[in-house]
Amino acid sequence: MYTNPTPGRFIDPLTDYGFKRLFGSEPHKDILIDFLNQLFQGRKVIRDLTYNNAERNGDYVADRKVIFDLLCTGDNGEQFIVEMQRARQENFKDRAVFYTSRLISSQVQRSKKSWNYQLKEVFFIALLEFRMESHDDFYLHNYVLSDRETHEIFYDKLEYKFIELPKFTKTEDQLETDLDRWLFLLKHLSGMDKIPLYLDKRVFEKVFRIAELSKLKPEERMAYDSSLKAKWDYESAVRYAEKIAAENAEKAMQRGWEKGHEMGHQQGHLEGIQEGHQQGHQEGIQEGIRQGLQQGHEKGIRETLIKNISSMLSNGIEEDMICRLLEVTPEFVSEVKKGSQ
């Protein structure tokens, strides 16, 4: 049975809570500014940021509301959507385009009689804990609107930056730039027990200072533990899905060999293997994800949230504070409160 690792000295920045604690705090916005400047690698320099409301409503009541992880405005009016994406989504790219479209449409100056369509820059930045469809070894992707044939940039005010963290495999002695050090820190902070010399920089020292578990308040520690539990549940579900997929693929391959043998010639043999392998792999992934996520993720997260909310309520923490710390709805808190009475 899989046992979750014991939390170390520092928080995991790739949990929902850890990500927002490091990058989503106004008093510590210099951390996000430095990260973004390293990401743009000198092509753009950000001197200041303002955090905005992460919710965006559509023009009409029926329009779907979008909620960003982080939404910031730079000192030149440019807007940054900063997201952390743990799981692969079928329509992730579509969602990124939809989010930026909603942000662009909100720039329309409806209070004026006329408008010249001049837009501010919009950047979508995503830290991905999975590999995208591409099979190359590039971990940093910069996408813009460009000519398909000549690759000439058509519009430079809209850009998507995707960082595939699984592809960043550099070791300590291979870190050359501050961007390398940032990505290494994000992947390995939770496993460190001290500040290494190769991260001897003011902004990194600040990251270690605010990421220290011992400095979290009790309600903050509850929120972090809940977020960490959600990440562990997801990882456990993925491992279970991979195990089921491997078992079904092996069975399917055996069925393929048998089918090929029965067909009596090499072509049939190869076709049978391919068909059986693909079918079994697909069945395994679907079944594994369904069972793993349903049993481990949903049940585990809900039970943990209920336990933490009950404890926080009994300690006199206000309901609106609980909603902000645990990122739950007021309705869910009220439901837990009624159930514990």
Side-chain angles (χ1 to χ4, degrees):
M1 183 176 179
Y2 173 71
T3 303
N4 290 327
T6 303
R9 178 180 173 184
F10 303 103
I11 64 175
D12 185 347
L14 299 180
T15 59
D16 292 332
Y17 179 85
F19 176 77
K20 291 179 180 177
R21 181 173 178 83
L22 292 185
F23 292 124
S25 173
E26 182 75 30
H28 307 310
K29 63 182 177 181
D30 54 319
I31 294 176
L32 179 58
I33 290 174
D34 188 86
F35 174 71
L36 291 178
N37 279 329
Q38 302 309 324
L39 193 58
F40 281 97
Q41 300 175 325
R43 190 181 67 81
K44 184 176 185 60
V45 178
I46 303 160
R47 295 180 176 82
D48 195 16
L49 283 176
T50 301
Y51 288 90
N52 306 125
N53 185 353
E55 296 186 5
R56 275 293 185 277
N57 293 309
D59 296 333
Y60 304 99
V61 176
D63 286 348
R64 183 179 180 86
K65 177 171 67 176
V66 299
I67 302 177
F68 311 117
D69 284 350
L70 293 177
L71 176 61
C72 305
T73 301
D75 49 329
N76 292 319
E78 67 271 54
Q79 294 180 298
F80 302 91
I81 301 171
V82 187
E83 295 267 312
M84 185 190 69
Q85 186 69 27
R86 180 176 301 138
R88 183 193 301 275
Q89 290 185 355
E90 182 180 2
N91 299 312
F92 172 68
K93 294 179 183 178
D94 299 75
R95 183 168 72 89
V97 173
F98 174 70
Y99 276 19
T100 53
S101 299
R102 180 58 61 83
L103 204 55
I104 291 171
S105 67
S106 68
Q107 295 184 28
V108 178
Q109 300 178 17
R110 294 180 177 83
S111 60
K112 296 185 177 181
K113 294 182 179 180
S114 63
W115 181 50
N116 64 0
Y117 293 96
Q118 184 176 10
L119 297 171
K120 299 291 186 180
E121 294 174 301
V122 172
F123 300 94
F124 185 97
I125 297 161
L127 286 163
L128 310 178
E129 286 197 80
F130 60 88
R131 291 174 177 265
M132 298 174 65
E133 297 88 346
S134 59
H135 298 290
D136 54 54
D137 294 326
F138 296 110
Y139 53 84
L140 175 59
H141 303 275
N142 299 291
Y143 298 111
V144 295
L145 293 176
S146 64
D147 186 282
R148 186 186 297 273
E149 304 299 331
T150 66
H151 306 295
E152 179 182 359
I153 295 178
F154 167 73
Y155 186 75
D156 62 356
K157 290 185 178 181
L158 176 63
E159 185 171 343
Y160 301 87
K161 289 181 177 293
F162 297 150
I163 306 154
E164 296 180 80
L165 290 175
K167 289 184 180 179
F168 182 81
T169 58
K170 291 186 178 182
T171 58
E172 299 175 7
D173 56 348
Q174 294 175 323
L175 305 179
E176 299 176 354
T177 66
D178 278 346
L179 179 59
D180 287 346
R181 296 179 184 91
W182 260 116
L183 300 183
F184 187 88
L185 179 64
L186 291 174
K187 289 192 68 172
H188 302 288
L189 174 61
S190 61
M192 296 179 178
D193 57 4
K194 61 181 180 180
I195 305 176
L197 292 178
Y198 53 85
L199 294 178
D200 185 15
K201 182 181 176 182
R202 188 189 67 82
V203 69
F204 294 138
E205 292 175 356
K206 187 171 185 178
V207 167
F208 279 97
R209 187 167 66 251
I210 68 174
E212 192 154 1
L213 277 171
S214 61
K215 295 183 178 179
L216 296 182
K217 298 176 182 178
E219 61 270 21
E220 293 173 335
R221 182 58 189 263
M222 284 184 183
Y224 172 65
D225 287 344
S226 178
S227 184
L228 189 61
K229 174 79 164 49
K231 180 179 180 180
W232 286 342
D233 285 343
Y234 170 75
E235 292 174 347
S236 180
V238 169
R239 280 190 293 271
Y240 180 70
E242 291 173 344
K243 176 184 177 183
I244 296 298
E247 292 175 352
N248 279 275
E250 184 177 353
K251 294 176 182 178
M253 186 173 290
Q254 180 61 36
R255 293 198 302 268
W257 279 101
E258 294 172 356
K259 179 178 179 180
H261 180 72
E262 291 173 358
M263 293 177 71
H265 54 79
Q266 186 175 7
Q267 182 62 34
H269 186 66
L270 293 175
E271 289 177 356
I273 293 175
Q274 183 178 16
E275 178 183 341
H277 180 76
Q278 290 177 348
Q279 180 183 355
H281 187 72
Q282 183 177 6
E283 291 174 355
I285 287 290
Q286 291 175 346
E287 178 64 16
I289 290 177
R290 186 188 70 79
Q291 294 185 22
L293 289 179
Q294 181 178 350
Q295 297 175 8
H297 188 66
E298 295 179 357
K299 181 179 179 181
I301 293 176
R302 183 177 178 84
E303 291 178 351
T304 303
L305 281 174
I306 292 175
K307 181 179 178 181
N308 287 341
I309 291 171
S310 299
S311 178
M312 295 169 80
L313 287 170
S314 63
N315 283 293
I317 300 175
E318 297 294 333
E319 293 183 30
D320 59 341
M321 176 66 73
I322 296 175
C323 292
R324 290 197 299 271
L325 290 173
L326 299 185
E327 299 180 2
V328 295
T329 63
E331 292 77 16
F332 186 68
V333 175
S334 299
E335 180 184 341
V336 175
K337 185 177 181 180
K338 290 179 181 179
S340 60
Q341 291 177 344

